[in-house]
Amino acid sequence: MFTPKPEHKFTFGLWTVGNIGRDPFGSPVRQALSPVELVHLLNEVGAYGVNFHDNDLVPIDATPAERDQIVRDFKKALDETGLVVPMATTNLFADPAFKDGAFTSNDSRVRAYALQKTMNAIDLGVELGAKVYVFWGGREGVETDAGKDPVESLKRFREALNFLCEYVRDQGYDLTFALEAKPNEPRGDIYLPTTGAMLGFIATLDHSEMVGVNPEVAHEHMAGLNFTHAVAQAWDAGKLFHIDLNDQAPGRYDQDLRFGSSNLKSAFFLVKFMEDVGYEGMRHFDAHAYRTEDYEGVKDFARGCMRTYLILKQKAAEWNADKDIQALVAEINADLGANDLLGSYSTDRASAIKGAQLDRTVLGERGLAYEKLDQLTIELLMGVR
Ligand code: GLT
Ligand code: MN
Ligand code: MN
């Protein structure tokens, strides 16, 4: 019943199931698998697609001949399994060259290298079928504001994205960009730290129509924000091009936990939102298995992400069909007599609202029954309804 199918559009990055469990305090706990092996692992657990950074697939120091062989082998694995590559991205954070940022570096040579690397990575992504290109600027920030001018940094970031949009158009690629925000880690502070900030920035781009967002659960939770609200704002703006699903306890380091494993209720409202509005993009799990796991545990992790999503989707359908819940929802949304008063501005409407009898004591006395509604939601989630 909760078996992943292609129509669910569940995808994983090579770096997610391929995470070898290195952390700032400890060495790897799992042997690295090749991209081909990872494609087969993802096929075994039932994923639809696989995403990658340029260097997840092609090592940064590979020769052109090595690159071509790797791409041939990878394509063969995709053909054998039927997995697709819906999204690709660039690693602009691991190499020491990017220690003070890529597009926002003070060093124009680093900025030029970042453009060069990204154009090559876009070519690679498109060659393998990617339709969405993610930009996560992990190093685009500071430890000290003495080092970089924040306005200059934004101008540089804008200039880079404008350039790359033109590159995509010039090549005739069918590709959109999705910007991913994160408040901190690995930098002390990363520019454009939230999805809302990204949405504001996108409006300033030359080709804003081809640029949307890739919100990540963990990143908004790190900032103490409500992820569903960020996703809703992106959706409302027509900018929800991609999504990174995982989980995260607020106030911690970047945990990238299995989807739904930490904040089940917010995961429920997120899935319900995505399913109710009819989001048709990829459901990308940007998470990794606990460091305690071997590759059987990695498969448990990947299966768990997808299974939890599907269970929550089922719960959302139950919530929408639950008579008691829907009776309360109807009550909450009933017209209590002022619907006709409201609407877009006119001089008449302004006078009507000014003259309306609106007794604020009565308005303030009304109970809203949200306690009851929330408890019904909790009981539905706990499986006792
Ligand atoms: C990195 C980061 C993620 C980004 C990836 C894309 S890489 O693991 O933590 O949130 O989505 O660059
Ligand atoms: Mn993350
Ligand atoms: Mn992410």
Side-chain angles (χ1 to χ4, degrees):
M1 184 176 179
F2 301 116
T3 310
K5 300 199 183 74
E7 73 249 29
H8 299 133
K9 297 184 178 155
F10 290 141
T11 65
F12 290 82
L14 282 180
W15 69 94
T16 65
V17 284
N19 181 291
I20 52 178
R22 183 188 289 119
D23 72 17
F25 304 95
S27 12
V29 295
R30 293 182 283 269
Q31 288 281 329
L33 296 185
S34 70
V36 167
E37 289 171 312
L38 291 169
V39 167
H40 286 284
L41 183 152
L42 285 173
N43 184 47
E44 187 186 332
V45 298
Y48 167 67
V50 56
N51 308 313
F52 55 80
H53 298 88
D54 48 356
N55 305 136
D56 298 339
L57 186 60
V58 181
I60 197 163
D61 49 5
T63 64
E66 284 164 350
R67 175 208 188 268
D68 291 348
Q69 186 58 49
I70 290 167
V71 172
R72 266 198 299 277
D73 293 345
F74 193 67
K75 278 186 177 160
K76 188 161 161 272
L78 295 175
D79 285 346
E80 280 166 12
T81 56
L83 259 77
V84 294
V85 175
M87 177 272 261
T89 183
T90 327
N91 187 324
L92 295 172
F93 43 88
D95 195 87
F98 301 124
K99 64 188 173 196
D100 195 25
F103 302 133
T104 65
S105 167
N106 283 330
D107 185 335
S108 56
R109 295 166 306 170
V110 174
R111 299 204 299 278
Y113 175 57
L115 284 179
Q116 178 191 78
K117 191 172 193 292
T118 304
M119 286 189 285
N120 288 332
I122 286 175
D123 295 344
L124 176 67
V126 169
E127 182 179 350
L128 286 155
K131 294 278 185 287
V132 176
Y133 203 83
V134 163
F135 288 83
W136 173 66
R139 299 281 173 196
E140 312 291 13
V142 298
E143 282 70 45
T144 167
D145 282 321
K148 280 156 94 178
D149 176 335
V151 173
E152 196 54 38
S153 294
L154 286 178
K155 282 185 186 155
R156 287 171 178 164
F157 194 43
R158 181 180 303 116
E159 190 177 282
L161 285 170
N162 284 341
F163 186 96
L164 292 164
C165 282
E166 293 294 358
Y167 177 72
V168 165
R169 289 160 56 86
D170 203 16
Q171 301 301 306
Y173 290 157
D174 174 18
L175 190 70
T176 56
F177 290 174
L179 310 187
E180 179 176 343
K182 187 176 182 183
N184 58 274
E185 202 184 337
R187 296 311 297 266
D189 289 288
I190 299 178
Y191 296 126
L192 299 167
T194 63
T195 298
M198 283 298 180
L199 288 167
F201 175 74
I202 289 169
T204 72
L205 298 175
D206 289 349
H207 286 288
S208 57
E209 75 286 351
M210 59 185 282
V211 186
V213 290
N214 179 39
E216 174 170 318
V217 178
H219 298 177
E220 304 291 320
H221 284 190
M222 284 172 76
L225 300 175
N226 181 315
F227 184 66
T228 302
H229 294 184
V231 170
Q233 191 191 350
W235 177 261
D236 178 64
K239 293 293 185 191
L240 189 63
F241 287 9
H242 200 263
I243 194 162
D244 275 1
L245 302 174
N246 57 12
D247 215 344
Q248 167 82 30
R252 306 285 169 93
Y253 64 96
D254 181 18
Q255 295 177 302
D256 287 338
L257 297 168
R258 189 178 76 258
F259 180 60
S261 62
S262 186
N263 302 278
L264 197 52
K265 187 175 164 189
S266 44
F268 165 71
F269 282 115
L270 171 65
V271 171
K272 179 168 144 42
F273 179 85
M274 290 163 68
E275 296 300 324
D276 283 353
V277 299
Y279 168 74
E280 287 183 340
M282 298 299 133
R283 275 89 173 150
H284 175 234
F285 296 104
D286 187 7
H288 52 76
Y290 302 146
R291 193 163 177 271
T292 49
E293 304 307 292
D294 59 12
Y295 277 104
E296 282 313 304
V298 171
K299 290 179 207 168
D300 291 337
F301 146 80
R303 289 192 179 103
C305 286
M306 297 184 282
R307 191 172 160 80
T308 296
Y309 187 99
L310 292 174
I311 294 169
L312 290 174
K313 180 177 170 180
Q314 163 74 24
K315 291 286 176 191
E318 286 172 18
W319 198 95
N320 289 339
D322 187 296
K323 291 209 168 40
D324 296 335
I325 288 175
Q326 290 310 314
L328 281 172
V329 170
E331 200 179 308
I332 287 159
N333 291 290
D335 179 8
L336 298 181
N339 273 18
D340 289 346
L341 260 187
L342 300 172
S344 52
Y345 183 83
S346 68
T347 311
D348 285 352
R349 183 162 275 135
S351 310
I353 292 175
K354 274 187 166 176
Q357 295 296 316
L358 298 164
D359 184 338
R360 75 170 200 285
T361 312
V362 171
L363 301 183
E365 276 168 1
R366 183 172 165 247
L368 301 181
Y370 289 178
E371 283 287 1
K372 194 187 271 181
L373 181 56
D374 188 71
Q375 182 65 21
L376 288 172
T377 304
I378 292 288
E379 292 190 12
L380 186 141
L381 287 177
M382 290 194 293
V384 295
R385 279 194 70 71

